[in-house]
Amino acid sequence: MLVIFSSEVGSEGPELKRLIGHLEQYPGIRTQVHTVKGAIRTLTEVYLIGPTDTVSKDAIEQMPGVERVVRISEKYRLIGRHRGQVEAPGFVYNGVRFDQDTLHVFAGLCAVDTREHADRMLRALKQAGQTTTRMGAYKPRTSPYDFQGHGAACLPYVFELAGKYGVKVVAMEVVHEDQIHEIRKALESSGGATGVMLQIGTRNAQNFELLKQAGQQKEFPVLFKRGMGITLEESLNACEYVASEGNRDIVFCLRGVQTHLGDPHRNLVDFAHVPVVKRLTRMPVCVDPSHSVGRRERGADGFYDLQHATAQGVIAGANMVLVDFHPNPAAALCDGPQAMPLEELPAFLEDVRIVREAYEKRRAALS
Ligand code: PEP
Ligand code: MN
């Protein structure tokens, strides 16, 4: 059960104490208090955990300061969108707002290979007015002989350059909890030049220990990538692991699912699930056309398949696009065949703008 207080009630207010006193008559009920910062207002939510069947919803609804009481299903207790819970508050990180209404493009390097490439990528983003990017330092690779990323060694120049070019959030995959500490240290040494969104890759979608570690810190938001061979429900439960450890700043990323039925694409594009995830949960939803489509080829109409897949995600209301670009795709040490050439960045962004505008017109036409 979830008790939502009206916005005037703070998390230390007497109204909360009164609720907690009231609950003492029900044995076995625990409470968890969350402060939800939305774009317009901040709310205090109290989750009642335990045998809530006997707790009277009506009695709590009559208590001072209570706006709404919601009986929540067992599923996705924290990330879920429960009946009567209308707000999807999202979060602000390093000055950038992420919620189910915003849209950010994270174009960047799948893997940082040289300082020069990172510099060219970040400079192009600044020229294009972008403040978010992707930069891989720790790469989970299928073969142990493939480039594994430069790891902590590249963090100082990545963060320095991101700061220099005004980039505020860098999506960066971590494959081990130690890397969260390495990132924290390098960011500190850079004087807080930028911010990092911790990416949990598809291969770690059910690495529950890593998920718990990402959830136990609240400094960095988490970009969770759907497991490539598990159900949507299993992936959403994985996000619930992060949230249940304390961190609810999570973006859910669709990146295609693995099946030969997706051939000739690398994965089967699953962006029709954008509205599904937005309906079931309150998380912003990202699409990754690069790891879904996996190849840089143009259709008969002149668009890259990658652009069409991006458009499918954006027209369906995606809140973030994670996409591989490279100044010289032929020289990329990871996923070169799916990287868009850097000179295509302005056209790619313009296409996203056009499609987003169409999505917004569709929404306006509904109301
Ligand atoms: C990536 O984004 O670099 C990546 C490895 O993606 P995924 O985990 O979706 O394969
Ligand atoms: Mn990749």
Side-chain angles (χ1 to χ4, degrees):
M1 188 181 270
L2 170 62
V3 181
I4 304 170
F5 282 92
S6 56
S7 53
E8 312 80 61
V9 176
S11 59
E12 304 285 328
E15 296 87 348
L16 261 85
K17 293 202 174 73
R18 195 186 286 223
L19 170 69
I20 288 163
H22 170 79
L23 291 169
E24 276 166 10
Q25 60 183 299
Y26 300 103
I29 302 283
R30 284 187 298 117
T31 54
Q32 259 181 18
V33 181
H34 290 277
T35 303
V36 179
K37 287 200 180 72
I40 301 164
R41 54 187 200 148
T42 298
L43 292 177
T44 300
E45 294 185 345
V46 180
Y47 285 78
L48 312 193
I49 300 158
T52 54
D53 290 0
T54 53
V55 178
S56 159
K57 181 170 179 265
D58 290 348
I60 297 178
E61 257 161 359
Q62 303 309 317
M63 296 182 72
V66 172
E67 184 173 292
R68 231 166 326 131
V69 181
V70 180
R71 280 211 184 269
I72 57 179
S73 53
E74 283 303 299
K75 257 191 198 174
Y76 322 139
R77 236 180 243 180
L78 297 173
I79 61 164
R81 182 191 283 279
H82 306 287
R83 198 184 295 274
Q85 198 175 26
V86 283
E87 299 188 48
F91 58 92
V92 175
Y93 174 65
N94 208 21
V96 184
R97 162 154 283 283
F98 295 88
D99 62 33
Q100 287 195 339
D101 291 318
T102 54
L103 174 65
H104 303 287
V105 177
F106 280 58
L109 302 177
C110 177
V112 175
D113 40 24
T114 66
R115 181 185 169 111
E116 191 223 326
H117 286 152
D119 189 304
R120 285 172 63 189
M121 182 72 233
L122 290 158
R123 188 173 343 136
L125 288 168
K126 181 175 171 68
Q127 279 163 1
Q130 300 297 296
T131 57
T132 50
T133 190
R134 58 160 298 147
M135 290 276 153
Y138 309 96
K139 298 304 300 177
R141 302 304 300 277
T142 302
S143 164
Y145 309 114
D146 287 341
F147 175 60
Q148 307 281 311
H150 289 308
C154 69
L155 300 182
Y157 67 78
V158 169
F159 295 158
E160 174 214 319
L161 291 169
K164 174 175 167 192
Y165 292 116
V167 166
K168 298 204 164 308
V169 189
V170 180
M172 183 174 277
E173 179 162 1
V174 286
V175 296
H176 191 279
E177 64 185 81
D178 290 351
Q179 294 155 359
I180 304 176
H181 306 302
E182 288 177 3
I183 289 171
R184 182 179 295 118
K185 252 178 68 189
L187 271 180
E188 272 168 25
S189 304
S190 77
T194 185
V196 168
M197 183 179 277
L198 299 176
Q199 188 173 317
I200 305 281
T202 195
R203 291 160 188 81
N204 280 310
Q206 286 190 311
N207 180 341
F208 299 117
E209 295 311 312
L210 183 61
L211 293 167
K212 286 186 204 165
Q213 294 294 328
Q216 279 165 19
Q217 59 79 38
K218 286 194 179 177
E219 188 177 349
F220 306 114
V222 173
L223 177 64
F224 173 88
K225 299 191 83 176
R226 173 187 197 162
M228 64 172 107
I230 56 176
T231 62
L232 184 63
E233 183 176 334
E234 286 165 326
S235 283
L236 294 177
N237 270 309
C239 293
E240 189 72 19
Y241 262 92
V242 178
S244 66
E245 294 291 328
N247 187 355
R248 297 212 275 172
D249 296 349
I250 310 169
V251 178
F252 187 87
C253 182
L254 297 164
R255 45 81 67 210
V257 290
Q258 194 170 43
T259 154
H260 69 281
L261 299 175
D263 293 354
H265 289 163
R266 180 172 174 179
N267 287 291
L268 187 65
V269 179
D270 55 352
F271 299 167
H273 278 170
V274 169
V276 177
V277 178
K278 288 172 82 171
R279 180 170 65 241
L280 291 176
T281 81
R282 301 190 288 166
M283 294 184 285
V285 179
C286 173
V287 292
D288 176 346
S290 306
H291 291 80
S292 303
V293 169
R295 50 202 284 164
R296 185 182 53 252
E297 263 172 343
R298 289 181 195 265
D301 58 7
F303 287 106
Y304 290 94
D305 290 10
L306 286 161
Q307 286 177 287
H308 275 302
T310 303
Q312 287 162 18
V314 173
I315 200 82
N319 307 111
M320 184 169 149
V321 176
L322 187 73
V323 57
D324 293 358
F325 270 79
H326 198 283
N328 180 5
L333 296 179
C334 181
D335 284 348
Q338 70 189 28
M340 292 280 288
L342 197 47
E343 57 272 19
E344 297 278 355
L345 182 65
F348 182 90
L349 293 171
E350 173 60 7
D351 197 34
V352 169
R353 195 196 60 73
I354 291 168
V355 183
R356 174 69 181 183
E357 197 176 284
Y359 168 72
E360 281 167 359
K361 280 190 189 150
R362 290 172 69 212
R363 268 191 84 170
L366 261 186
S367 49

